Amino acid sequence: MATLLLGAALLVAQLQLVPSRPGAPWAGPGPQELVWKAATLQDQALDGAAPNGSARQLPQTIIIGVRKGGTRALLEMLSLHPDVAAAENEVHFFDWEEHYSQGLGWYLSQMPLSAPHQLTVEKTPAYFTSPKVPERVHGMNPALRLLLILRDPSERVLSDYTQVLYNHVQKHKPYPSIEEFLVRDGRLNVDYKALNRSLYHVHMRNWLRFFPLHRIHIVDGDRLIRDPFPEIQKVERFLKLSPQINASNFYFNKTKGFYCLRDSGRDRCLHESKGRAHPQVDPKLLHKLHEYFHEPNKKFFELVGRTFDWH
């Protein structure tokens, strides 16, 4: 019966959230109506909860980015907390039209089962740099707490390239060197997408149009790599979670060169695709990269009222 009720709720709640064609005027529900429908959908799902009280809940927290900033590490570390239920895969609801057009019912179906006291979390790194996403997220729930993990922009660019490079290598496909992407006609190629993803102030301004700064917690991704426990403590406080994650949950794996997790006596590390070595880059080109991000970084620091130890 619980399954039937939940299924009925999801069917009823398939909201049409996007225009029927590109460029068409907004014809969907307004922000207040969308919030009300989201609350109604959640109530319906909870009414159809399993006998043990577990049910799917819309997320109260979203890790919005940034790509290659450490989102998977953050989610895995946060999952150590017993009051957190995390979606296993990147959902891409708010940035992919084929998902968004299916409505909040579809989004809810992608969430894990969770107890009433648990916090549901999903992470999709592309949200941070997608212009249309902040308004859509706000339309679902303006009271969401958002997590944003950032790294040194230059390092993030190199990680971005490295991921795509390895994807091609695994498929035995050739891929240009990073210099071919970064340099065009002797100058830094500012049209390279990986560079644009690291212009944090541009994307942050878009989010601050819809969410106040106190609703967005910025995790220092470089510090999370070097010393994860203090950063996770800050996340617990931001999410108003009881302090359950301890320093003993982390241990440094000398073979892998980064911290791994220890949960109830079970050790686990991130996938081997994480923490890959970056390609060698000409020091002069690296200097150009650092120079390019100098002013954008200053703008970001002013925007969020704090600084980071970036080049």
Side-chain angles (χ1 to χ4, degrees), residues 24 79 91 156 296 309 311:
S79 297
V91 182
R156 199 219 61 79
D309 187 20
H311 289 98

Side-chain angles (χ1 to χ4, degrees), residues 35 38 59-60 136-144 211:
V35 171
Q60 297 93 354
R136 290 178 171 184
V137 173
H138 183 270
M140 180 190 73
N141 183 0
L144 273 177
F211 289 91

Side-chain angles (χ1 to χ4, degrees), residues 172-226:
H172 305 289
K173 293 182 177 180
Y175 197 63
S177 69
I178 190 167
E179 286 80 6
E180 292 178 68
F181 284 103
L182 284 175
V183 180
R184 178 178 293 173
D185 299 325
R187 297 183 179 182
L188 206 62
N189 177 19
V190 296
D191 294 325
Y192 181 32
K193 286 184 179 180
L195 281 184
N196 291 321
R197 292 189 189 106
S198 283
L199 294 175
Y200 299 150
H201 72 289
V202 173
H203 310 298
M204 192 66 177
R205 279 199 181 97
N206 195 28
W207 281 91
L208 291 176
R209 289 174 55 216
F210 298 95
F211 289 91
L213 188 57
H214 70 265
R215 287 272 170 199
I216 307 173
H217 177 70
I218 303 171
V219 179
D220 188 326
D222 298 303
R223 289 187 178 179
L224 188 78
I225 294 171
R226 294 193 302 266

Side-chain angles (χ1 to χ4, degrees), residues 5-309:
L5 287 172
L6 180 56
L10 297 181
L11 181 62
V12 169
Q14 292 298 311
L15 309 178
Q16 185 67 29
L17 299 181
V18 295
S20 57
R21 63 187 184 281
W26 175 259
Q32 292 302 318
E33 183 184 355
L34 191 56
V35 171
W36 177 81
K37 287 187 176 182
T40 302
L41 175 59
Q42 190 66 71
D43 289 343
Q44 289 173 327
L46 292 174
D47 286 343
N52 63 0
S54 64
R56 302 188 195 281
Q57 302 183 61
L58 290 171
Q60 297 93 354
T61 297
I62 299 178
I63 300 174
I64 59 173
V66 62
R67 172 183 161 111
K68 305 313 297 176
T71 57
R72 173 52 61 181
L74 176 59
L75 186 69
E76 291 292 331
M77 292 174 187
L78 194 53
S79 297
L80 292 168
H81 200 290
D83 293 342
V84 169
E88 185 174 344
N89 300 313
E90 295 177 6
V91 182
H92 286 282
F93 175 65
F94 296 101
D95 62 324
W96 287 4
E97 299 303 326
E98 61 267 34
H99 290 169
Y100 192 66
S101 62
Q102 296 184 64
L104 285 174
W106 181 89
Y107 188 42
L108 181 64
S109 72
Q110 306 304 303
M111 296 301 117
L113 288 171
S114 60
H117 70 278
Q118 285 185 305
L119 193 73
T120 298
V121 180
E122 79 114 324
K123 75 106 177 169
T124 301
Y127 287 165
F128 181 59
T129 56
S130 299
K132 59 199 169 189
V133 168
E135 183 175 15
R136 290 178 171 184
V137 173
H138 183 270
M140 180 190 73
N141 183 0
L144 273 177
R145 293 181 184 274
L146 305 172
L147 293 173
L148 172 63
I149 179 167
L150 300 176
R151 294 173 61 195
D152 181 311
S154 300
E155 290 297 312
R156 199 219 61 79
V157 169
L158 299 181
S159 290
D160 202 318
Y161 168 83
T162 301
Q163 175 175 296
V164 182
L165 170 66
Y166 273 86
N167 289 343
H168 280 71
V169 169
Q170 288 176 341
K171 297 174 183 176
H172 305 289
K173 293 182 177 180
Y175 197 63
S177 69
I178 190 167
E179 286 80 6
E180 292 178 68
F181 284 103
L182 284 175
V183 180
R184 178 178 293 173
D185 299 325
R187 297 183 179 182
L188 206 62
N189 177 19
V190 296
D191 294 325
Y192 181 32
K193 286 184 179 180
L195 281 184
N196 291 321
R197 292 189 189 106
S198 283
L199 294 175
Y200 299 150
H201 72 289
V202 173
H203 310 298
M204 192 66 177
R205 279 199 181 97
N206 195 28
W207 281 91
L208 291 176
R209 289 174 55 216
F210 298 95
F211 289 91
L213 188 57
H214 70 265
R215 287 272 170 199
I216 307 173
H217 177 70
I218 303 171
V219 179
D220 188 326
D222 298 303
R223 289 187 178 179
L224 188 78
I225 294 171
R226 294 193 302 266
D227 189 10
F229 181 51
E231 285 299 310
I232 287 298
Q233 283 183 304
K234 295 173 188 175
V235 173
E236 280 183 317
R237 289 194 291 269
F238 172 73
L239 298 179
K240 300 189 183 303
L241 293 167
S242 60
Q244 298 280 344
I245 302 174
N246 302 303
S248 60
N249 289 123
F250 305 95
Y251 71 96
F252 189 78
N253 186 307
K254 293 181 180 179
T255 303
K256 291 183 174 290
F258 52 79
Y259 278 88
C260 294
L261 310 180
R262 181 169 288 136
D263 185 14
S264 302
R266 184 171 64 93
D267 295 352
R268 56 192 171 96
C269 291
L270 295 177
H271 189 267
E272 61 181 12
S273 65
K274 307 300 179 182
R276 285 172 173 152
H278 293 165
Q280 290 292 324
V281 181
D282 184 287
K284 291 181 180 178
L285 179 56
L286 203 54
H287 181 67
K288 279 187 179 181
L289 203 56
H290 294 158
E291 280 190 328
Y292 174 75
F293 285 119
H294 181 70
E295 284 302 318
N297 288 349
K298 282 178 62 178
K299 291 178 181 179
F300 180 74
F301 299 161
E302 292 169 3
L303 197 61
V304 300
R306 60 183 282 201
T307 61
F308 294 81
D309 187 20

